[in-house]
Amino acid sequence: MSEKTIALVTGANKGIGYEIAAGLGALGWSVGVGARDDERREAAVEKLRAGGAEAFGVPLDVTDDASVAAAAELVEERHGRLDVLVNNAGVTGGMPQNPTTVSIAAVRAAVETNVIGVIRVTNAMVPLLRRSASPRIVNMSSTVGSLARQTDPGTETGPLSAAYSPSKSMLNAVTVQYAKELHDTSILINAACPGYVATDLNGFQGVRTPEQGAAIAVRLATLPDDGPTGGFFEDAGVVPW
Ligand SMILES: NC(=O)c1ccc[n+]([C@@H]2O[C@H](COP(=O)([O-])OP(=O)(O)OC[C@H]3O[C@@H](n4cnc5c(N)ncnc54)[C@H](OP(=O)(O)O)[C@@H]3O)[C@@H](O)[C@H]2O)c1
């Protein structure tokens, strides 16, 4: 088994996921670049390696059972275990998303990737994470999934988002359930919001850089053994549910 810390980041070919991979690579970790498109994945791996990171490609479509099972096999064969899983892959499902007119396809797409995809990947990787001394799982959520923020008249809540926001609320709820089941293990699992980041996801309207957005995930990926679990965090601290 490798002495290095082994991480897997889903949706790591671009945006925040790429920068999470770069951030973990900069720590000297071996980072699996989970991505569904061969060309985009290999380009990201090459770029990370050129920057000095130890990166390896992991073909991975989080919506596909066989792809996720194959990804777990690849990590097992290569490293024998997994230390850190960052569930970063996400989609909006397509905008606009006014509740009264949203397409069912948009809701389905958001939930399939942002919630079911996370469950699918996590459950495939848990056996490998259990072999780690300090396993961590980070779920990339969003403060638009915070019901407290969405209902706070003083908070900027963004556009109506009947598919994407509820999918992140559910992801938060799922994160809590995992933390409850795993409370007596060394696995720490938390949800993170990167802030409003300029990426493809929002047509590059965000105000933060992907590197800034990646910071909270890197922090939660490197929590000490007595760190929190079942929480929801942004750079400034705890996010209310
Ligand atoms: N940007 C923001 O302001 C913001 C705010 C809060 C939370 N977030 C969250 O941060 C995460 C990263 O978003 P981003 O802004 O970096 O978006 P992005 O640039 O659009 O990147 C999304 C990544 O997810 C991948 N992906 C989508 N569906 C996938 C699937 N079925 N299987 C595998 N990979 C898949 C994409 O791969 P392809 O290139 O193949 O499409 C891409 O690598 C998401 O979970 C998002 O919800 C973003």
Side-chain angles (χ1 to χ4, degrees):
M1 280 208 203
S2 174
E3 295 301 314
K4 285 198 172 212
T5 301
I6 314 301
L8 173 65
V9 183
T10 70
N13 54 286
K14 66 179 181 182
I16 298 164
Y18 175 84
E19 291 298 339
I20 296 169
L24 299 180
L27 299 174
W29 293 12
S30 184
V31 183
V33 175
R36 56 186 168 176
D37 180 88
D38 292 346
E39 273 182 33
R40 290 197 288 271
R41 183 180 59 254
E42 285 318 309
V45 168
E46 285 311 314
K47 200 171 150 195
L48 287 163
R49 285 180 182 160
E54 185 181 310
F56 60 100
V58 180
L60 179 58
D61 181 337
V62 304
T63 65
D64 185 281
D65 286 341
S67 169
V68 171
E73 272 172 40
L74 186 154
V75 173
E76 174 159 33
E77 275 166 24
R78 190 183 169 99
H79 291 294
R81 66 162 204 284
L82 183 65
D83 298 300
V84 170
L85 170 64
V86 182
N87 287 306
N88 166 81
V91 297
T92 62
M95 301 299 261
Q97 294 182 358
N98 291 19
T100 57
T101 54
V102 69
S103 77
I104 295 302
V107 178
R108 218 186 283 283
V111 172
E112 184 61 55
T113 300
N114 303 348
V115 183
I116 299 172
V118 171
I119 296 170
R120 182 182 285 113
V121 173
T122 301
N123 290 357
M125 299 298 165
V126 156
L128 300 176
L129 287 159
R130 287 187 192 275
R131 297 178 192 164
S132 168
S134 298
R136 307 286 178 258
I137 302 171
V138 183
N139 291 338
M140 289 308 277
S141 183
S142 171
T143 53
V144 303
S146 162
L147 300 180
R149 293 252 175 109
Q150 285 289 310
T151 52
D152 176 1
T155 300
E156 167 53 52
T157 55
L160 286 170
S161 167
Y164 181 68
S165 295
S167 77
K168 294 298 189 181
S169 305
M170 187 169 175
L171 174 61
N172 291 345
V174 163
T175 303
V176 169
Q177 294 301 310
Y178 274 100
K180 284 177 68 174
E181 179 182 345
L182 299 171
H183 76 278
D184 58 352
T185 75
S186 54
I187 299 178
L188 302 180
I189 178 167
N190 291 286
C193 177
Y196 190 33
V197 178
T199 66
D200 265 340
L201 193 91
N202 51 37
F204 296 90
Q205 295 298 302
V207 295
R208 311 189 81 209
T209 66
E211 196 177 354
Q212 289 172 322
I216 185 65
V218 173
R219 208 172 96 206
L220 294 173
T222 54
L223 283 174
D225 290 344
D226 63 352
T229 192
F232 184 19
F233 300 93
E234 60 187 352
D235 281 348
V238 172
V239 182
W241 300 116

